[in-house]
Amino acid sequence: MRRPRVTAICSLATVTVAASTTRPLDIQTVFKRHFGYTPTHVVQAPGRLEVLGNHTDYNQGLVMSVAIDRYVWMAASPRTDAKVELVTSAFTGHESFWISELKKKPTAPWADYVKGVLDRFRKHGVHFGGFNAAIHSNLPMGAGLGSSGALMVAAALLLRQLFPYKVTESGVTRPPKRDRRGLLPPLTPKEKMQIARLCAAAENHFVGLRAGMLDEISSLCGKEFHVMEIDFMHNTVELFPMIGEFAIVVLDTGVKHELVSSRYNELREHSESAARKLGVRSLRSVELNQLDANRARLSDREYECAFHIMAENLRVVHGERALLRDDIWQLGQFMFQSHDSSRDFLKNSCDELDLLVKLAREHPACLGARLTGGGFGGATINLIAWSQVDSFIKTIGEHYESRTGKPLKAMRCRVVDGAE
């Protein structure tokens, strides 16, 4: 028997804790403690949660995501030389380098993301000098919430504040002018997409992770109380209201995923190889009858990856229709199906993620749950009836710790606007 529909009458803000307005002061404190003066510019970039669409972004597919109230902040001031000095509240020490010597450093991998952005933007024609910068975040690293993408977006926007630029597909045009208050004009949708593309290229070529643009687009294009449906074939974003008597709860397994050294790149290789053998540009173009007719041409892993991507794109399409009908229960069922497919076909889940989804599925307050992000550890996203959030977190936490011996970290997340 079908459960009753959850009526969309209550915003997510009702059941979540909003980001404190004092948090941006934290980044200024981090900066001032190291450099001894107040920064001239501060930017913030939110993390993201993938509601549906696991590993579909680099296959030119569809993803449903939201920007959340967990951020990466960066503060900076320009220097008179061509040197960059970075500090972060997450690690001791600092990283200092000349802008003409952008090289990876094994002892400071966190700085590679900033260096990668500088390297990619310089190659694209953006001119900049040296600066001092501090990084602060309440976005968990390694939990699959887009922390690396948020850091790269923050670095790109900080660079824009320090050395204003306007990027196009082919290079740069006349830089934007500040208004009387010293503010730059808002980014256009095309500019946001181009910045996302450059940040993703930096992650691919400098950092070494062959990821898509999901994290960067989500961080830049998010809108409060809305879900984004991102089409990675046409690089477009469509917004749909996401309100209702439910909360978004993230459950962190405590298993950190190191995506650069994991099987993430391997999954992309299987997907691209399958597309080549099927004679298509990407798996976005594959239909079930075509996949089944050509199964003998694919290895088992290529077939499994292709089947997951094909089915996941359909789940996003049907998830959008459910959202437009305010049918959150049906959207939740697609989330459960998505996790099962990631586990059985993509094989990027782990025992801890599977346990959390199993426990969530058994709890009466849960409308839907699945792993979010690259997988191989990290966290799950859960849609929970708002009146039972505390009970859900307590119950799942107790069962998880008794089964694994690990404490469970839970976060209530609010859907927020994109980077600024």
Side-chain angles (χ1 to χ4, degrees), residues 48-49 72 90-91 113 137-151 203 209 215 250-260 262 348 350 353 371-380 409 411:
R48 64 97 187 96
L49 286 172
V72 172
F91 303 101
Y113 293 92
S137 178
N138 65 354
L139 187 58
M141 294 183 294
L145 307 186
S147 58
S148 61
L151 174 55
E203 190 169 21
L209 175 63
D215 296 354
V250 174
L251 301 179
D252 188 350
T253 63
V255 179
K256 302 300 180 184
H257 61 182
E258 298 292 338
L259 289 183
V260 174
S262 76
N348 65 327
C350 66
L353 287 169
L371 65 84
T372 184
F376 308 110
T380 62
K409 298 178 182 178
M411 297 179 290

Side-chain angles (χ1 to χ4, degrees), residues 140-315:
M141 294 183 294
L145 307 186
S147 58
S148 61
L151 174 55
M152 301 183 90
V153 166
L157 296 189
L158 192 68
L159 189 65
R160 182 175 184 261
Q161 290 295 329
L162 291 167
F163 310 98
Y165 62 76
K166 184 173 183 179
V167 290
T168 65
E169 288 189 17
S170 57
V172 295
T173 60
R174 180 176 298 178
K177 294 183 178 180
R178 300 185 188 275
D179 63 17
R180 293 180 179 179
R181 295 176 297 168
L183 302 177
L184 293 173
L187 292 167
T188 66
K190 285 186 177 180
E191 287 179 284
K192 289 181 180 181
M193 197 61 65
Q194 185 57 35
I195 289 174
R197 187 178 290 110
L198 290 172
C199 288
E203 190 169 21
N204 287 186
H205 301 294
F206 193 94
V207 179
L209 175 63
R210 299 183 64 208
M213 296 195 296
L214 170 61
D215 296 354
E216 292 82 5
I217 292 177
S218 299
S219 185
L220 283 161
C221 301
K223 183 175 174 58
E224 189 175 28
F225 308 136
H226 285 71
V227 65
M228 293 167 276
E229 183 178 304
I230 309 171
D231 185 329
F232 287 93
M233 176 175 283
H234 303 102
N235 288 331
T236 58
V237 178
E238 192 168 359
L239 298 169
F240 298 93
M242 190 178 186
I243 56 177
E245 295 179 348
F246 63 91
I248 295 180
V249 176
V250 174
L251 301 179
D252 188 350
T253 63
V255 179
K256 302 300 180 184
H257 61 182
E258 298 292 338
L259 289 183
V260 174
S261 58
S262 76
R263 291 171 288 173
Y264 188 101
N265 288 346
E266 181 183 328
L267 288 179
R268 181 161 184 167
E269 290 170 3
H270 287 314
S271 299
E272 293 176 346
S273 176
R276 286 194 299 271
K277 291 181 180 180
L278 292 170
V280 295
R281 182 177 178 183
S282 70
L283 292 178
R284 168 72 177 275
S285 304
V286 177
E287 297 183 359
L288 181 59
N289 58 352
Q290 179 185 7
L291 181 62
D292 286 343
N294 293 275
R295 180 168 185 172
R297 301 170 63 182
L298 306 179
S299 69
D300 289 342
R301 286 299 290 131
E302 288 169 344
Y303 175 83
E304 290 170 338
C305 290
F307 182 85
H308 167 83
I309 298 302
M310 181 208 65
E312 193 76 346
N313 284 323
L314 290 175
R315 278 187 283 270

